[in-house]
Amino acid sequence: MAMGRRERKKAQTRRALSEAALRLFSERGYDGVTVAQIADEADVSIATLFAHVPDGKEALIFDDGVERHVWLVAAVRERPSGQSVLEALRRCLAGRGPFADDLPPELRAKRDLIVGTPALREYSRKLWTAGEGALAEAIAAESGRDPADMTVRALARYVLEIPELAGAEPDPSGAMNAIFDLLESGWPEPHAPVTSTARPVAPSG
């Protein structure tokens, strides 16, 4: 369905704000940019900026997070026969965000800005974890469990924390795979210490 004039205008303003914020953050650093400067750069009022993004400047370069929840749920529900839920989620995350290695330059610059800015990384984390309910429902449906089961909710939460945990590592993909390996195999027990069977030597004298 085609957008009406009002919706197109809103989308254009939102895009202008996002582009202005990304440009200024890249030039001056996140902490060196004010909301007023972003509004001025996009040629809108501060009131208009907050009407489009009430969460403030950290929200300006993100979408609403809905799309990522949709494709995570789809990865679980539409995975090939024989593929585990965790493997489907691993493959889904592998080509996105901090784990993608084939991004065009403009998206790579945006990703690097987010990963390198604590406030932006924390906002991104909120968008990921907001999808916990939807992902838990999908996992429950595919595993025959109750969505309220704590283990289902925990698994969904752990997966949604991976971009924040692994995204800033020197090797994000390697870190992501290490976490998925752990989730698939469980926490390994440490090796039992070797105990000596030799008898203690009696003190001399």
Side-chain angles (χ1 to χ4, degrees), residues 58-65 68-69 97-99 110-111 113-131 160-165 167:
E58 63 265 38
L60 281 165
I61 62 172
F62 294 96
D63 56 30
D64 60 8
R68 69 187 72 191
H69 305 158
F99 311 115
K110 180 177 178 179
R111 177 195 63 189
L113 174 68
I114 293 169
V115 169
T117 307
L120 296 178
R121 220 167 60 226
E122 177 58 24
Y123 192 84
S124 177
R125 176 181 174 271
K126 289 179 182 178
L127 293 178
W128 281 108
T129 57
L160 294 171
E161 293 282 5
I162 290 175
E164 162 62 15
L165 286 170

PDB file of all heavy atoms in Angstrom, residues 58-65 68-69 97-99 110-111 113-131 160-165 167:
ATOM      1  N   GLU A  58      20.118   9.713  20.969  1.00  0.00           N
ATOM      2  CA  GLU A  58      20.639   8.359  20.767  1.00  0.00           C
ATOM      3  C   GLU A  58      19.731   7.513  19.880  1.00  0.00           C
ATOM      4  O   GLU A  58      20.163   6.525  19.293  1.00  0.00           O
ATOM      5  CB  GLU A  58      20.883   7.651  22.103  1.00  0.00           C
ATOM      6  CG  GLU A  58      19.647   7.433  22.938  1.00  0.00           C
ATOM      7  CD  GLU A  58      19.450   8.538  23.959  1.00  0.00           C
ATOM      8  OE1 GLU A  58      19.722   9.717  23.623  1.00  0.00           O
ATOM      9  OE2 GLU A  58      19.015   8.227  25.069  1.00  0.00           O
ATOM     10  N   ALA A  59      18.459   7.904  19.768  1.00  0.00           N
ATOM     11  CA  ALA A  59      17.517   7.136  18.947  1.00  0.00           C
ATOM     12  C   ALA A  59      17.528   7.555  17.484  1.00  0.00           C
ATOM     13  O   ALA A  59      16.926   6.877  16.646  1.00  0.00           O
ATOM     14  CB  ALA A  59      16.104   7.289  19.510  1.00  0.00           C
ATOM     15  N   LEU A  60      18.221   8.654  17.175  1.00  0.00           N
ATOM     16  CA  LEU A  60      18.080   9.241  15.853  1.00  0.00           C
ATOM     17  C   LEU A  60      18.609   8.388  14.710  1.00  0.00           C
ATOM     18  O   LEU A  60      18.109   8.477  13.591  1.00  0.00           O
ATOM     19  CB  LEU A  60      18.769  10.619  15.824  1.00  0.00           C
ATOM     20  CG  LEU A  60      17.965  11.748  16.461  1.00  0.00           C
ATOM     21  CD1 LEU A  60      18.851  12.956  16.718  1.00  0.00           C
ATOM     22  CD2 LEU A  60      16.786  12.127  15.580  1.00  0.00           C
ATOM     23  N   ILE A  61      19.614   7.572  14.960  1.00  0.00           N
ATOM     24  CA  ILE A  61      20.182   6.807  13.847  1.00  0.00           C
ATOM     25  C   ILE A  61      19.714   5.359  13.828  1.00  0.00           C
ATOM     26  O   ILE A  61      20.253   4.533  13.092  1.00  0.00           O
ATOM     27  CB  ILE A  61      21.726   6.874  13.851  1.00  0.00           C
ATOM     28  CG1 ILE A  61      22.293   6.254  15.119  1.00  0.00           C
ATOM     29  CG2 ILE A  61      22.198   8.307  13.691  1.00  0.00           C
ATOM     30  CD1 ILE A  61      23.813   6.125  15.077  1.00  0.00           C
ATOM     31  N   PHE A  62      18.699   5.047  14.645  1.00  0.00           N
ATOM     32  CA  PHE A  62      18.147   3.695  14.679  1.00  0.00           C
ATOM     33  C   PHE A  62      16.729   3.673  14.125  1.00  0.00           C
ATOM     34  O   PHE A  62      16.027   4.690  14.149  1.00  0.00           O
ATOM     35  CB  PHE A  62      18.108   3.166  16.116  1.00  0.00           C
ATOM     36  CG  PHE A  62      19.455   2.964  16.743  1.00  0.00           C
ATOM     37  CD1 PHE A  62      20.004   3.944  17.547  1.00  0.00           C
ATOM     38  CD2 PHE A  62      20.178   1.793  16.521  1.00  0.00           C
ATOM     39  CE1 PHE A  62      21.243   3.768  18.137  1.00  0.00           C
ATOM     40  CE2 PHE A  62      21.416   1.611  17.109  1.00  0.00           C
ATOM     41  CZ  PHE A  62      21.953   2.603  17.916  1.00  0.00           C
ATOM     42  N   ASP A  63      16.300   2.483  13.680  1.00  0.00           N
ATOM     43  CA  ASP A  63      14.890   2.296  13.396  1.00  0.00           C
ATOM     44  C   ASP A  63      14.197   1.955  14.708  1.00  0.00           C
ATOM     45  O   ASP A  63      14.800   2.051  15.779  1.00  0.00           O
ATOM     46  CB  ASP A  63      14.683   1.209  12.340  1.00  0.00           C
ATOM     47  CG  ASP A  63      15.320  -0.119  12.738  1.00  0.00           C
ATOM     48  OD1 ASP A  63      15.413  -0.392  13.958  1.00  0.00           O
ATOM     49  OD2 ASP A  63      15.725  -0.883  11.853  1.00  0.00           O
ATOM     50  N   ASP A  64      12.956   1.528  14.651  1.00  0.00           N
ATOM     51  CA  ASP A  64      12.226   1.250  15.898  1.00  0.00           C
ATOM     52  C   ASP A  64      12.493  -0.149  16.454  1.00  0.00           C
ATOM     53  O   ASP A  64      11.944  -0.528  17.486  1.00  0.00           O
ATOM     54  CB  ASP A  64      10.728   1.455  15.710  1.00  0.00           C
ATOM     55  CG  ASP A  64      10.136   0.555  14.626  1.00  0.00           C
ATOM     56  OD1 ASP A  64      10.855  -0.330  14.121  1.00  0.00           O
ATOM     57  OD2 ASP A  64       8.955   0.756  14.286  1.00  0.00           O
ATOM     58  N   GLY A  65      13.338  -0.916  15.793  1.00  0.00           N
ATOM     59  CA  GLY A  65      13.699  -2.236  16.292  1.00  0.00           C
ATOM     60  C   GLY A  65      12.771  -3.354  15.860  1.00  0.00           C
ATOM     61  O   GLY A  65      13.090  -4.529  16.053  1.00  0.00           O
ATOM     62  N   ARG A  68      14.187  -6.101  13.189  1.00  0.00           N
ATOM     63  CA  ARG A  68      15.114  -7.141  13.655  1.00  0.00           C
ATOM     64  C   ARG A  68      14.379  -8.253  14.398  1.00  0.00           C
ATOM     65  O   ARG A  68      14.750  -9.411  14.319  1.00  0.00           O
ATOM     66  CB  ARG A  68      16.227  -6.526  14.505  1.00  0.00           C
ATOM     67  CG  ARG A  68      15.801  -5.983  15.839  1.00  0.00           C
ATOM     68  CD  ARG A  68      16.925  -5.237  16.527  1.00  0.00           C
ATOM     69  NE  ARG A  68      17.208  -3.962  15.883  1.00  0.00           N
ATOM     70  CZ  ARG A  68      18.261  -3.201  16.134  1.00  0.00           C
ATOM     71  NH1 ARG A  68      19.150  -3.610  17.008  1.00  0.00           N
ATOM     72  NH2 ARG A  68      18.431  -2.049  15.524  1.00  0.00           N
ATOM     73  N   HIS A  69      13.296  -7.876  15.099  1.00  0.00           N
ATOM     74  CA  HIS A  69      12.507  -8.901  15.790  1.00  0.00           C
ATOM     75  C   HIS A  69      11.796  -9.798  14.781  1.00  0.00           C
ATOM     76  O   HIS A  69      11.681 -11.008  14.982  1.00  0.00           O
ATOM     77  CB  HIS A  69      11.482  -8.249  16.715  1.00  0.00           C
ATOM     78  CG  HIS A  69      12.089  -7.285  17.694  1.00  0.00           C
ATOM     79  ND1 HIS A  69      11.367  -6.281  18.297  1.00  0.00           N
ATOM     80  CD2 HIS A  69      13.350  -7.172  18.162  1.00  0.00           C
ATOM     81  CE1 HIS A  69      12.161  -5.596  19.099  1.00  0.00           C
ATOM     82  NE2 HIS A  69      13.375  -6.103  19.025  1.00  0.00           N
ATOM     83  N   GLY A  97      24.558  -6.419  11.369  1.00  0.00           N
ATOM     84  CA  GLY A  97      25.137  -5.551  12.389  1.00  0.00           C
ATOM     85  C   GLY A  97      26.628  -5.709  12.533  1.00  0.00           C
ATOM     86  O   GLY A  97      27.377  -5.711  11.543  1.00  0.00           O
ATOM     87  N   PRO A  98      27.118  -5.861  13.772  1.00  0.00           N
ATOM     88  CA  PRO A  98      28.566  -5.918  13.996  1.00  0.00           C
ATOM     89  C   PRO A  98      29.234  -7.162  13.430  1.00  0.00           C
ATOM     90  O   PRO A  98      30.461  -7.237  13.368  1.00  0.00           O
ATOM     91  CB  PRO A  98      28.680  -5.905  15.532  1.00  0.00           C
ATOM     92  CG  PRO A  98      27.374  -6.445  16.015  1.00  0.00           C
ATOM     93  CD  PRO A  98      26.353  -5.973  15.025  1.00  0.00           C
ATOM     94  N   PHE A  99      28.424  -8.146  12.997  1.00  0.00           N
ATOM     95  CA  PHE A  99      28.987  -9.407  12.519  1.00  0.00           C
ATOM     96  C   PHE A  99      29.063  -9.478  10.992  1.00  0.00           C
ATOM     97  O   PHE A  99      29.630 -10.423  10.449  1.00  0.00           O
ATOM     98  CB  PHE A  99      28.163 -10.580  13.051  1.00  0.00           C
ATOM     99  CG  PHE A  99      27.909 -10.477  14.529  1.00  0.00           C
ATOM    100  CD1 PHE A  99      26.624 -10.317  15.020  1.00  0.00           C
ATOM    101  CD2 PHE A  99      28.957 -10.490  15.429  1.00  0.00           C
ATOM    102  CE1 PHE A  99      26.387 -10.195  16.372  1.00  0.00           C
ATOM    103  CE2 PHE A  99      28.731 -10.362  16.791  1.00  0.00           C
ATOM    104  CZ  PHE A  99      27.447 -10.220  17.267  1.00  0.00           C
ATOM    105  N   LYS A 110      28.421   3.677  10.032  1.00  0.00           N
ATOM    106  CA  LYS A 110      27.360   3.750  11.046  1.00  0.00           C
ATOM    107  C   LYS A 110      27.556   2.665  12.098  1.00  0.00           C
ATOM    108  O   LYS A 110      27.441   2.921  13.304  1.00  0.00           O
ATOM    109  CB  LYS A 110      25.994   3.608  10.366  1.00  0.00           C
ATOM    110  CG  LYS A 110      24.817   3.678  11.309  1.00  0.00           C
ATOM    111  CD  LYS A 110      23.511   3.598  10.528  1.00  0.00           C
ATOM    112  CE  LYS A 110      22.297   3.614  11.437  1.00  0.00           C
ATOM    113  NZ  LYS A 110      21.032   3.571  10.667  1.00  0.00           N
ATOM    114  N   ARG A 111      27.842   1.458  11.658  1.00  0.00           N
ATOM    115  CA  ARG A 111      28.076   0.359  12.598  1.00  0.00           C
ATOM    116  C   ARG A 111      29.245   0.675  13.522  1.00  0.00           C
ATOM    117  O   ARG A 111      29.166   0.482  14.735  1.00  0.00           O
ATOM    118  CB  ARG A 111      28.358  -0.929  11.835  1.00  0.00           C
ATOM    119  CG  ARG A 111      28.684  -2.110  12.751  1.00  0.00           C
ATOM    120  CD  ARG A 111      29.308  -3.261  11.980  1.00  0.00           C
ATOM    121  NE  ARG A 111      30.583  -2.889  11.377  1.00  0.00           N
ATOM    122  CZ  ARG A 111      31.233  -3.653  10.509  1.00  0.00           C
ATOM    123  NH1 ARG A 111      30.725  -4.809  10.133  1.00  0.00           N
ATOM    124  NH2 ARG A 111      32.393  -3.263  10.001  1.00  0.00           N
ATOM    125  N   LEU A 113      30.432   3.546  14.371  1.00  0.00           N
ATOM    126  CA  LEU A 113      30.051   4.623  15.288  1.00  0.00           C
ATOM    127  C   LEU A 113      29.258   4.059  16.466  1.00  0.00           C
ATOM    128  O   LEU A 113      29.512   4.398  17.628  1.00  0.00           O
ATOM    129  CB  LEU A 113      29.216   5.674  14.551  1.00  0.00           C
ATOM    130  CG  LEU A 113      28.628   6.793  15.415  1.00  0.00           C
ATOM    131  CD1 LEU A 113      29.734   7.684  15.956  1.00  0.00           C
ATOM    132  CD2 LEU A 113      27.614   7.611  14.624  1.00  0.00           C
ATOM    133  N   ILE A 114      28.301   3.185  16.176  1.00  0.00           N
ATOM    134  CA  ILE A 114      27.478   2.589  17.238  1.00  0.00           C
ATOM    135  C   ILE A 114      28.333   1.752  18.187  1.00  0.00           C
ATOM    136  O   ILE A 114      28.253   1.892  19.408  1.00  0.00           O
ATOM    137  CB  ILE A 114      26.347   1.738  16.626  1.00  0.00           C
ATOM    138  CG1 ILE A 114      25.357   2.627  15.875  1.00  0.00           C
ATOM    139  CG2 ILE A 114      25.622   0.934  17.710  1.00  0.00           C
ATOM    140  CD1 ILE A 114      24.354   1.870  15.022  1.00  0.00           C
ATOM    141  N   VAL A 115      29.175   0.891  17.615  1.00  0.00           N
ATOM    142  CA  VAL A 115      30.009   0.007  18.435  1.00  0.00           C
ATOM    143  C   VAL A 115      30.966   0.814  19.306  1.00  0.00           C
ATOM    144  O   VAL A 115      31.231   0.446  20.457  1.00  0.00           O
ATOM    145  CB  VAL A 115      30.785  -0.976  17.534  1.00  0.00           C
ATOM    146  CG1 VAL A 115      31.848  -1.723  18.334  1.00  0.00           C
ATOM    147  CG2 VAL A 115      29.827  -1.967  16.885  1.00  0.00           C
ATOM    148  N   GLY A 116      31.454   1.942  18.796  1.00  0.00           N
ATOM    149  CA  GLY A 116      32.433   2.732  19.525  1.00  0.00           C
ATOM    150  C   GLY A 116      31.858   3.783  20.457  1.00  0.00           C
ATOM    151  O   GLY A 116      32.619   4.516  21.095  1.00  0.00           O
ATOM    152  N   THR A 117      30.526   3.874  20.552  1.00  0.00           N
ATOM    153  CA  THR A 117      29.888   4.900  21.380  1.00  0.00           C
ATOM    154  C   THR A 117      29.015   4.229  22.429  1.00  0.00           C
ATOM    155  O   THR A 117      27.972   3.655  22.098  1.00  0.00           O
ATOM    156  CB  THR A 117      29.027   5.837  20.510  1.00  0.00           C
ATOM    157  OG1 THR A 117      29.811   6.353  19.432  1.00  0.00           O
ATOM    158  CG2 THR A 117      28.474   6.991  21.342  1.00  0.00           C
ATOM    159  N   PRO A 118      29.395   4.268  23.704  1.00  0.00           N
ATOM    160  CA  PRO A 118      28.637   3.565  24.740  1.00  0.00           C
ATOM    161  C   PRO A 118      27.144   3.877  24.766  1.00  0.00           C
ATOM    162  O   PRO A 118      26.321   2.966  24.917  1.00  0.00           O
ATOM    163  CB  PRO A 118      29.326   4.002  26.037  1.00  0.00           C
ATOM    164  CG  PRO A 118      30.739   4.280  25.623  1.00  0.00           C
ATOM    165  CD  PRO A 118      30.629   4.880  24.246  1.00  0.00           C
ATOM    166  N   ALA A 119      26.772   5.146  24.620  1.00  0.00           N
ATOM    167  CA  ALA A 119      25.346   5.511  24.676  1.00  0.00           C
ATOM    168  C   ALA A 119      24.577   4.895  23.517  1.00  0.00           C
ATOM    169  O   ALA A 119      23.434   4.438  23.689  1.00  0.00           O
ATOM    170  CB  ALA A 119      25.186   7.035  24.664  1.00  0.00           C
ATOM    171  N   LEU A 120      25.175   4.857  22.348  1.00  0.00           N
ATOM    172  CA  LEU A 120      24.513   4.265  21.184  1.00  0.00           C
ATOM    173  C   LEU A 120      24.457   2.752  21.303  1.00  0.00           C
ATOM    174  O   LEU A 120      23.476   2.121  20.924  1.00  0.00           O
ATOM    175  CB  LEU A 120      25.234   4.669  19.895  1.00  0.00           C
ATOM    176  CG  LEU A 120      25.225   6.163  19.562  1.00  0.00           C
ATOM    177  CD1 LEU A 120      26.023   6.426  18.293  1.00  0.00           C
ATOM    178  CD2 LEU A 120      23.800   6.680  19.411  1.00  0.00           C
ATOM    179  N   ARG A 121      25.525   2.160  21.849  1.00  0.00           N
ATOM    180  CA  ARG A 121      25.529   0.715  22.030  1.00  0.00           C
ATOM    181  C   ARG A 121      24.457   0.291  23.031  1.00  0.00           C
ATOM    182  O   ARG A 121      23.778  -0.720  22.848  1.00  0.00           O
ATOM    183  CB  ARG A 121      26.907   0.266  22.511  1.00  0.00           C
ATOM    184  CG  ARG A 121      27.360  -1.021  21.857  1.00  0.00           C
ATOM    185  CD  ARG A 121      28.807  -1.323  22.058  1.00  0.00           C
ATOM    186  NE  ARG A 121      29.176  -1.462  23.444  1.00  0.00           N
ATOM    187  CZ  ARG A 121      30.241  -0.890  23.987  1.00  0.00           C
ATOM    188  NH1 ARG A 121      31.014  -0.127  23.259  1.00  0.00           N
ATOM    189  NH2 ARG A 121      30.528  -1.077  25.255  1.00  0.00           N
ATOM    190  N   GLU A 122      24.272   1.070  24.082  1.00  0.00           N
ATOM    191  CA  GLU A 122      23.261   0.745  25.085  1.00  0.00           C
ATOM    192  C   GLU A 122      21.858   0.890  24.493  1.00  0.00           C
ATOM    193  O   GLU A 122      20.973   0.079  24.779  1.00  0.00           O
ATOM    194  CB  GLU A 122      23.415   1.651  26.303  1.00  0.00           C
ATOM    195  CG  GLU A 122      22.359   1.447  27.383  1.00  0.00           C
ATOM    196  CD  GLU A 122      22.300   0.027  27.930  1.00  0.00           C
ATOM    197  OE1 GLU A 122      23.310  -0.705  27.855  1.00  0.00           O
ATOM    198  OE2 GLU A 122      21.225  -0.371  28.429  1.00  0.00           O
ATOM    199  N   TYR A 123      21.649   1.901  23.658  1.00  0.00           N
ATOM    200  CA  TYR A 123      20.336   2.064  23.033  1.00  0.00           C
ATOM    201  C   TYR A 123      20.066   0.901  22.080  1.00  0.00           C
ATOM    202  O   TYR A 123      18.944   0.375  22.025  1.00  0.00           O
ATOM    203  CB  TYR A 123      20.244   3.389  22.284  1.00  0.00           C
ATOM    204  CG  TYR A 123      18.830   3.719  21.868  1.00  0.00           C
ATOM    205  CD1 TYR A 123      17.955   4.335  22.753  1.00  0.00           C
ATOM    206  CD2 TYR A 123      18.361   3.378  20.608  1.00  0.00           C
ATOM    207  CE1 TYR A 123      16.644   4.608  22.395  1.00  0.00           C
ATOM    208  CE2 TYR A 123      17.054   3.649  20.237  1.00  0.00           C
ATOM    209  CZ  TYR A 123      16.207   4.259  21.125  1.00  0.00           C
ATOM    210  OH  TYR A 123      14.898   4.522  20.768  1.00  0.00           O
ATOM    211  N   SER A 124      21.091   0.494  21.346  1.00  0.00           N
ATOM    212  CA  SER A 124      20.940  -0.648  20.451  1.00  0.00           C
ATOM    213  C   SER A 124      20.577  -1.895  21.248  1.00  0.00           C
ATOM    214  O   SER A 124      19.716  -2.692  20.837  1.00  0.00           O
ATOM    215  CB  SER A 124      22.241  -0.875  19.685  1.00  0.00           C
ATOM    216  OG  SER A 124      22.146  -2.014  18.852  1.00  0.00           O
ATOM    217  N   ARG A 125      21.210  -2.077  22.406  1.00  0.00           N
ATOM    218  CA  ARG A 125      20.899  -3.224  23.260  1.00  0.00           C
ATOM    219  C   ARG A 125      19.433  -3.216  23.674  1.00  0.00           C
ATOM    220  O   ARG A 125      18.768  -4.258  23.697  1.00  0.00           O
ATOM    221  CB  ARG A 125      21.800  -3.201  24.499  1.00  0.00           C
ATOM    222  CG  ARG A 125      21.491  -4.293  25.514  1.00  0.00           C
ATOM    223  CD  ARG A 125      22.414  -4.197  26.724  1.00  0.00           C
ATOM    224  NE  ARG A 125      22.001  -5.156  27.736  1.00  0.00           N
ATOM    225  CZ  ARG A 125      21.109  -4.890  28.685  1.00  0.00           C
ATOM    226  NH1 ARG A 125      20.544  -3.692  28.756  1.00  0.00           N
ATOM    227  NH2 ARG A 125      20.772  -5.817  29.559  1.00  0.00           N
ATOM    228  N   LYS A 126      18.895  -2.055  24.009  1.00  0.00           N
ATOM    229  CA  LYS A 126      17.481  -1.956  24.398  1.00  0.00           C
ATOM    230  C   LYS A 126      16.571  -2.400  23.254  1.00  0.00           C
ATOM    231  O   LYS A 126      15.550  -3.066  23.474  1.00  0.00           O
ATOM    232  CB  LYS A 126      17.136  -0.524  24.805  1.00  0.00           C
ATOM    233  CG  LYS A 126      17.745  -0.077  26.118  1.00  0.00           C
ATOM    234  CD  LYS A 126      17.354   1.360  26.421  1.00  0.00           C
ATOM    235  CE  LYS A 126      17.980   1.856  27.706  1.00  0.00           C
ATOM    236  NZ  LYS A 126      17.638   3.276  27.978  1.00  0.00           N
ATOM    237  N   LEU A 127      16.942  -2.014  22.036  1.00  0.00           N
ATOM    238  CA  LEU A 127      16.127  -2.421  20.883  1.00  0.00           C
ATOM    239  C   LEU A 127      16.164  -3.933  20.700  1.00  0.00           C
ATOM    240  O   LEU A 127      15.142  -4.552  20.371  1.00  0.00           O
ATOM    241  CB  LEU A 127      16.631  -1.728  19.614  1.00  0.00           C
ATOM    242  CG  LEU A 127      16.449  -0.208  19.543  1.00  0.00           C
ATOM    243  CD1 LEU A 127      17.042   0.337  18.248  1.00  0.00           C
ATOM    244  CD2 LEU A 127      14.972   0.175  19.650  1.00  0.00           C
ATOM    245  N   TRP A 128      17.338  -4.542  20.895  1.00  0.00           N
ATOM    246  CA  TRP A 128      17.443  -5.992  20.767  1.00  0.00           C
ATOM    247  C   TRP A 128      16.607  -6.690  21.830  1.00  0.00           C
ATOM    248  O   TRP A 128      15.787  -7.561  21.520  1.00  0.00           O
ATOM    249  CB  TRP A 128      18.902  -6.436  20.897  1.00  0.00           C
ATOM    250  CG  TRP A 128      19.741  -6.255  19.677  1.00  0.00           C
ATOM    251  CD1 TRP A 128      20.726  -5.329  19.486  1.00  0.00           C
ATOM    252  CD2 TRP A 128      19.683  -7.008  18.458  1.00  0.00           C
ATOM    253  NE1 TRP A 128      21.278  -5.460  18.246  1.00  0.00           N
ATOM    254  CE2 TRP A 128      20.655  -6.482  17.591  1.00  0.00           C
ATOM    255  CE3 TRP A 128      18.899  -8.079  18.030  1.00  0.00           C
ATOM    256  CZ2 TRP A 128      20.881  -6.995  16.311  1.00  0.00           C
ATOM    257  CZ3 TRP A 128      19.109  -8.587  16.757  1.00  0.00           C
ATOM    258  CH2 TRP A 128      20.084  -8.047  15.912  1.00  0.00           C
ATOM    259  N   THR A 129      16.813  -6.330  23.100  1.00  0.00           N
ATOM    260  CA  THR A 129      16.161  -7.070  24.190  1.00  0.00           C
ATOM    261  C   THR A 129      14.661  -6.829  24.245  1.00  0.00           C
ATOM    262  O   THR A 129      13.941  -7.616  24.872  1.00  0.00           O
ATOM    263  CB  THR A 129      16.801  -6.723  25.549  1.00  0.00           C
ATOM    264  OG1 THR A 129      16.737  -5.304  25.776  1.00  0.00           O
ATOM    265  CG2 THR A 129      18.256  -7.167  25.588  1.00  0.00           C
ATOM    266  N   ALA A 130      14.184  -5.779  23.586  1.00  0.00           N
ATOM    267  CA  ALA A 130      12.736  -5.555  23.527  1.00  0.00           C
ATOM    268  C   ALA A 130      12.022  -6.677  22.776  1.00  0.00           C
ATOM    269  O   ALA A 130      10.809  -6.851  22.912  1.00  0.00           O
ATOM    270  CB  ALA A 130      12.434  -4.213  22.856  1.00  0.00           C
ATOM    271  N   GLY A 131      12.764  -7.454  22.006  1.00  0.00           N
ATOM    272  CA  GLY A 131      12.163  -8.556  21.260  1.00  0.00           C
ATOM    273  C   GLY A 131      12.133  -9.871  22.011  1.00  0.00           C
ATOM    274  O   GLY A 131      11.803 -10.907  21.425  1.00  0.00           O
ATOM    275  N   LEU A 160      19.610 -12.474  22.547  1.00  0.00           N
ATOM    276  CA  LEU A 160      19.443 -11.051  22.254  1.00  0.00           C
ATOM    277  C   LEU A 160      20.526 -10.190  22.882  1.00  0.00           C
ATOM    278  O   LEU A 160      20.713  -9.033  22.482  1.00  0.00           O
ATOM    279  CB  LEU A 160      18.060 -10.586  22.722  1.00  0.00           C
ATOM    280  CG  LEU A 160      16.895 -11.215  21.945  1.00  0.00           C
ATOM    281  CD1 LEU A 160      15.568 -10.885  22.621  1.00  0.00           C
ATOM    282  CD2 LEU A 160      16.879 -10.739  20.503  1.00  0.00           C
ATOM    283  N   GLU A 161      21.255 -10.727  23.833  1.00  0.00           N
ATOM    284  CA  GLU A 161      22.378  -9.999  24.433  1.00  0.00           C
ATOM    285  C   GLU A 161      23.668 -10.173  23.628  1.00  0.00           C
ATOM    286  O   GLU A 161      24.639  -9.451  23.845  1.00  0.00           O
ATOM    287  CB  GLU A 161      22.617 -10.475  25.866  1.00  0.00           C
ATOM    288  CG  GLU A 161      21.516 -10.140  26.851  1.00  0.00           C
ATOM    289  CD  GLU A 161      21.545  -8.682  27.328  1.00  0.00           C
ATOM    290  OE1 GLU A 161      22.376  -7.901  26.812  1.00  0.00           O
ATOM    291  OE2 GLU A 161      20.730  -8.337  28.198  1.00  0.00           O
ATOM    292  N   ILE A 162      23.685 -11.112  22.690  1.00  0.00           N
ATOM    293  CA  ILE A 162      24.921 -11.408  21.961  1.00  0.00           C
ATOM    294  C   ILE A 162      25.469 -10.208  21.189  1.00  0.00           C
ATOM    295  O   ILE A 162      26.682  -9.961  21.235  1.00  0.00           O
ATOM    296  CB  ILE A 162      24.724 -12.633  21.040  1.00  0.00           C
ATOM    297  CG1 ILE A 162      24.599 -13.904  21.891  1.00  0.00           C
ATOM    298  CG2 ILE A 162      25.883 -12.775  20.052  1.00  0.00           C
ATOM    299  CD1 ILE A 162      24.283 -15.158  21.096  1.00  0.00           C
ATOM    300  N   PRO A 163      24.649  -9.431  20.457  1.00  0.00           N
ATOM    301  CA  PRO A 163      25.225  -8.290  19.737  1.00  0.00           C
ATOM    302  C   PRO A 163      25.969  -7.320  20.648  1.00  0.00           C
ATOM    303  O   PRO A 163      27.025  -6.794  20.276  1.00  0.00           O
ATOM    304  CB  PRO A 163      23.997  -7.633  19.092  1.00  0.00           C
ATOM    305  CG  PRO A 163      23.043  -8.763  18.899  1.00  0.00           C
ATOM    306  CD  PRO A 163      23.223  -9.618  20.114  1.00  0.00           C
ATOM    307  N   GLU A 164      25.453  -7.073  21.853  1.00  0.00           N
ATOM    308  CA  GLU A 164      26.134  -6.172  22.782  1.00  0.00           C
ATOM    309  C   GLU A 164      27.396  -6.819  23.348  1.00  0.00           C
ATOM    310  O   GLU A 164      28.451  -6.185  23.419  1.00  0.00           O
ATOM    311  CB  GLU A 164      25.176  -5.801  23.913  1.00  0.00           C
ATOM    312  CG  GLU A 164      25.832  -5.225  25.170  1.00  0.00           C
ATOM    313  CD  GLU A 164      26.584  -3.922  24.941  1.00  0.00           C
ATOM    314  OE1 GLU A 164      26.392  -3.271  23.886  1.00  0.00           O
ATOM    315  OE2 GLU A 164      27.390  -3.563  25.812  1.00  0.00           O
ATOM    316  N   LEU A 165      27.306  -8.090  23.729  1.00  0.00           N
ATOM    317  CA  LEU A 165      28.445  -8.764  24.335  1.00  0.00           C
ATOM    318  C   LEU A 165      29.593  -8.956  23.348  1.00  0.00           C
ATOM    319  O   LEU A 165      30.758  -8.741  23.675  1.00  0.00           O
ATOM    320  CB  LEU A 165      28.021 -10.137  24.875  1.00  0.00           C
ATOM    321  CG  LEU A 165      27.182 -10.140  26.153  1.00  0.00           C
ATOM    322  CD1 LEU A 165      26.643 -11.543  26.416  1.00  0.00           C
ATOM    323  CD2 LEU A 165      28.012  -9.670  27.332  1.00  0.00           C
ATOM    324  N   GLY A 167      29.726  -7.670  20.015  1.00  0.00           N
ATOM    325  CA  GLY A 167      29.896  -6.673  18.965  1.00  0.00           C
ATOM    326  C   GLY A 167      31.121  -5.801  19.091  1.00  0.00           C
ATOM    327  O   GLY A 167      31.676  -5.346  18.088  1.00  0.00           O
TER     328      GLY A 167
END
